[in-house]
């Protein structure tokens, strides 16, 4: 079973005040760290949706085995990036992981656990990770839900489709990284401190 990964990295980072994808995190950009983690998984191909400052993103991702997809409508909201990414998923893929570019702490083991659960239950509409009862990211969406994804609008993501569906599998994940994003300067600072503590250890 082939599962692609779509990494959403097109936004303007309005709450951050700068493009968080290009922020330094442990000596490399945040988006490069995120992409490298997903590249270590079984997902293939890895599709990165860019928009805001796409040339800078392309530069920081140089040399990585990815398919970059430009979303010229990125200012209209997250749904446009989701639609652009899903549109680039090859026909052979039975599903796609929707990954957020600002979640660099999610390791390949999490991605692979979601793929493994999907392989066990290919009739599932989606597989969602959860930690301490809270849904996290990334989420794995079956191809049969792709048409519904393309009808989303505004600043909403795939999660909008999943609540209340009987064909959504929730996979318990012990790793709290599935809940951690770099949405604010404070969150980014905490990520940096965490990486620093790992380095000290």
């Amino acid at each position: 079973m082939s599962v692609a990964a779509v990494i959403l990295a097109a936004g303007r980072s309005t709450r951050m005040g700068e493009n968080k994808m290009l922020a330094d995190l442990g000596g490399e950009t945040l988006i490069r760290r995120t992409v490298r983690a997903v590249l270590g998984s079984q997902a293939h191909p890895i599709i990165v949706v860019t928009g805001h400052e796409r040339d800078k993103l392309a530069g920081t991702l140089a040399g990585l085995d990815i398919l970059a997809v430009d979303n010229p409508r990125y200012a209209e909201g997250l749904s446009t990036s989701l639609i652009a990414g899903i549109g680039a998923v090859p026909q052979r893929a039975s599903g796609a992981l929707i990954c957020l570019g600002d979640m660099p702490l999610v390791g390949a083991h999490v991605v692979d656990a979601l793929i493994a659960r999907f392989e066990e239950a290919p009739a599932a509409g989606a597989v969602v990770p959860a930690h301490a009862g809270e849904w996290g990211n990334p989420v794995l969406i079956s191809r049969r839900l792709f048409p519904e994804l393309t009808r989303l609008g505004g600043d909403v993501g795939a999660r909008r489709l999943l609540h209340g569906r009987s064909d959504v599998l929730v996979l318990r994940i012990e790793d709290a990284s599935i809940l951690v994003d770099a949405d604010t300067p404070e969150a980014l600072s905490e990520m940096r401190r965490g990486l620093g503590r790992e380095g000290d250890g």
Side-chain angles (χ1 to χ4, degrees):
M1 181 179 289
S2 172
V3 174
V6 174
I7 302 177
L8 306 179
R12 292 176 292 180
S13 310
T14 52
R15 279 183 284 184
M16 184 67 74
E18 61 178 335
N19 191 344
K20 60 187 173 183
M21 300 299 166
L22 299 172
D24 179 80
L25 189 64
E28 62 185 328
T29 59
L30 186 150
I31 185 58
R32 188 176 178 91
R33 182 177 281 264
T34 298
V35 171
R36 280 202 308 104
V38 180
L39 279 168
S41 75
Q42 296 175 32
H44 189 270
I46 310 300
I47 298 160
V48 181
V49 182
T50 63
H52 179 56
E53 296 189 314
R54 64 175 183 176
D55 292 340
K56 290 182 179 179
L57 286 174
T60 195
L61 296 175
L64 298 181
D65 183 18
I66 62 166
L67 171 62
V69 174
D70 181 48
N71 173 22
R73 299 172 55 206
Y74 68 89
E76 297 175 34
L78 187 63
S79 64
T80 62
S81 290
L82 188 56
I83 291 167
I86 288 296
V89 173
Q91 285 295 321
R92 68 178 182 277
S94 53
L97 284 138
I98 310 302
C99 308
L100 303 183
D102 66 348
M103 297 186 70
L105 304 185
V106 176
H109 65 285
V110 171
V111 175
D112 286 342
L114 291 166
I115 293 173
R117 185 68 184 96
F118 185 55
E119 289 176 339
E120 294 169 358
V127 183
V128 179
H131 178 77
E134 184 177 352
W135 284 19
N137 285 292
V139 298
L140 197 164
I141 307 291
S142 169
R143 171 172 288 282
R144 60 191 179 83
L145 294 191
F146 285 8
E148 295 182 51
L149 286 178
T150 62
R151 291 194 288 271
L152 291 173
D155 198 32
V156 300
R159 193 84 60 86
R160 174 68 61 89
L161 293 177
L162 305 182
H163 283 289
R165 294 185 65 106
S166 61
D167 60 350
V168 173
L169 301 180
V170 178
L171 179 64
R172 188 172 67 181
I173 298 287
E174 297 302 324
D175 189 340
S177 68
I178 65 167
L179 306 177
V180 181
D181 61 21
D183 232 12
T184 64
E186 294 75 21
L188 179 59
S189 293
E190 180 56 33
M191 270 187 192
R192 287 169 172 156
R193 284 193 292 271
L195 289 174
R197 288 191 292 269
E198 288 179 12
D200 293 341

